[in-house]
Amino acid sequence: MFQQILAAVIAVVVALAVCFAYFWGTNWVLDKLLTPRPGMSDDALTRRDTLRSQIRPWLFIGPALLFLTVYLIYPVFETLRLSFFDKYGTKFVGVSNYVWALTDETFWRSALNNAGWLLIVPAFSTAMGLIIATLADRLWWGNIAKSLIFAPMAISFVGASIIWKFIYTYKGPGIEQIGVLNAVVTGLGFPPQAWITVPYLNSLLLMIILIWIQTGFAMVILSAALRGIPEETLEAARIDGANEFRMFFDIMIPQIWGTIIVVWTTITITVLKVFDIVYAMTNGEFQTQVLANLMYRWMFISGDFGRGSTIAVIIMLAVLPVMVWNIRRVRSELGTA
């Protein structure tokens, strides 16, 4: 443990030293090369100053652009290229992989499951986050409640799946049940169930895990938005006789509608990429398959880079419109569109 901590500290120190050396060194070289010298004309001095001002920002953002190109832009184009090649990435097969995807039953079942996640998880997470944010602000222990609800955000999807696996655990008939859900069911006199193997219901149970995680995110963002509503507006509504429900639906929600949309779209993008929970809980079995997990299977288990890349491209195309729309909306609200 000590060695790991020491290695981490050394890595951080080395990284900071390298960053400092790069920025200081490039800045020094630039100034050295383009420093005005005695005897230069005014035009030459101006050109040097202008050139220095134009180069300096690129030196500073250069490393970020390099990493962005290597780790984001290049993989996108490489994935797109592989989607038109065979499983080994050597023989061009045109749109055969896309034809396979559009005619494959497993692909469509996965896409249908993704659609179910899209319909349920963002809506429930946003709605529950909004309700909790509204109610918690009225309680003296509201901040404690919000802290507890936000806590799952600090847990990885795999960690959350393990927690919920204990809740859904099934030990078989005649055996003492240690899963919380089956303990409740048997306590009420009903037989225990292998919940994760029940088609359709198991997908809903997996969605609950993501709702549990994302509700805290929605609550924090929407709570901040609710606090931004002018108190004068709420007070005027009370004086006019508006009850709590009218204030909530006719004043609060319209005032924070933009924030609600941003939260909803952010969770939607997360849902489109959902993988960890399904992989950790069922690995796509019992009709719980989703596109990201299907891509993983073709890419890393079957070793078919063509079909795996095709599914990855389809997921990217599904996420892209939501991201563009979200960015355009934010820019519009900021007045920079």
Side-chain angles (χ1 to χ4, degrees):
M1 176 63 85
F2 176 75
Q3 290 180 338
Q4 292 173 333
I5 295 174
L6 183 62
V9 171
I10 292 173
V12 170
V13 171
V14 170
L16 289 174
V18 170
C19 289
F20 175 79
Y22 170 80
F23 289 118
W24 182 84
T26 53
N27 202 41
W28 181 81
V29 170
L30 182 65
D31 288 339
K32 207 68 177 174
L33 292 175
L34 297 177
T35 298
R37 293 174 184 167
M40 282 186 168
S41 64
D42 291 341
D43 288 342
L45 290 174
T46 303
R47 279 198 301 274
R48 286 202 164 207
D49 284 341
T50 304
L51 188 59
R52 200 167 56 221
S53 300
Q54 290 174 340
I55 293 175
R56 200 186 308 277
W58 289 103
L59 289 176
F60 289 166
I61 66 173
L65 287 176
L66 177 64
F67 285 115
L68 193 67
T69 303
V70 172
Y71 293 108
L72 186 62
I73 297 175
Y74 167 72
V76 168
F77 285 100
E78 181 63 10
T79 302
L80 190 61
R81 185 190 72 82
L82 286 172
S83 69
F84 294 103
F85 282 76
D86 66 349
K87 65 182 297 184
Y88 303 109
T90 55
K91 182 182 177 184
F92 182 74
V93 295
V95 295
S96 297
N97 290 324
Y98 291 92
V99 173
W100 161 81
L102 296 176
T103 56
D104 184 68
E105 184 184 348
T106 307
F107 174 84
W108 281 110
R109 189 185 301 124
S110 305
L112 193 62
N113 284 339
N114 267 90
W117 282 74
L118 279 175
L119 285 174
I120 294 173
V121 176
F124 272 82
S125 300
T126 307
M128 291 184 67
L130 178 60
I131 292 171
I132 293 169
T134 306
L135 295 178
D137 285 340
R138 299 164 186 264
L139 303 170
W140 66 267
W141 47 274
N143 287 333
I144 299 173
K146 285 198 284 189
S147 300
L148 294 174
I149 293 168
F150 184 73
M153 279 292 293
I155 304 173
S156 69
F157 284 1
V158 174
S161 301
I162 293 171
I163 292 172
W164 281 84
K165 210 160 193 171
F166 285 112
I167 295 176
Y168 299 147
T169 291
Y170 171 69
K171 286 294 183 182
I175 303 175
E176 185 181 0
Q177 301 297 322
I178 62 169
V180 175
L181 188 55
N182 272 325
V184 172
V185 168
T186 52
L188 294 173
F190 297 101
Q193 299 289 331
W195 302 103
I196 293 301
T197 65
V198 181
Y200 307 116
L201 175 62
N202 50 12
S203 289
L204 289 173
L205 295 176
L206 300 187
M207 293 176 199
I208 289 174
I209 301 173
L210 192 53
I211 293 172
W212 180 63
I213 297 171
Q214 292 296 320
T215 296
F217 162 75
M219 177 200 67
V220 169
I221 304 297
L222 295 174
S223 178
L226 286 171
R227 289 173 185 268
I229 298 175
E231 190 59 36
E232 294 81 4
T233 305
L234 300 175
E235 194 59 37
R238 290 191 188 97
I239 293 172
D240 288 342
N243 58 32
E244 294 298 324
F245 284 99
R246 290 289 304 276
M247 288 177 61
F248 180 73
F249 287 106
D250 295 342
I251 296 176
M252 290 182 176
I253 289 183
Q255 291 269 342
I256 63 168
W257 184 246
T259 309
I260 293 174
I261 295 298
V262 170
V263 169
W264 183 85
T265 51
T266 304
I267 298 174
T268 297
I269 293 169
T270 304
V271 170
L272 279 167
K273 299 180 294 182
V274 66
F275 165 75
D276 317 56
I277 294 173
V278 175
Y279 180 77
M281 294 292 287
T282 64
N283 197 19
E285 300 295 335
F286 316 117
Q287 300 184 27
T288 59
Q289 188 66 283
V290 291
L291 289 176
N293 197 60
L294 184 65
M295 177 201 70
Y296 174 82
R297 280 196 168 189
W298 278 109
M299 182 77 82
F300 299 107
I301 297 178
S302 300
D304 193 325
F305 291 97
R307 291 183 175 181
S309 299
T310 300
I311 299 171
V313 170
I314 291 172
I315 294 172
M316 184 181 69
L317 292 176
V319 172
L320 211 54
V322 182
M323 291 184 65
V324 171
W325 181 77
N326 203 10
I327 292 170
R328 287 172 65 92
R329 183 176 177 82
V330 170
R331 291 183 63 186
S332 176
E333 288 181 356
L334 294 174
T336 57

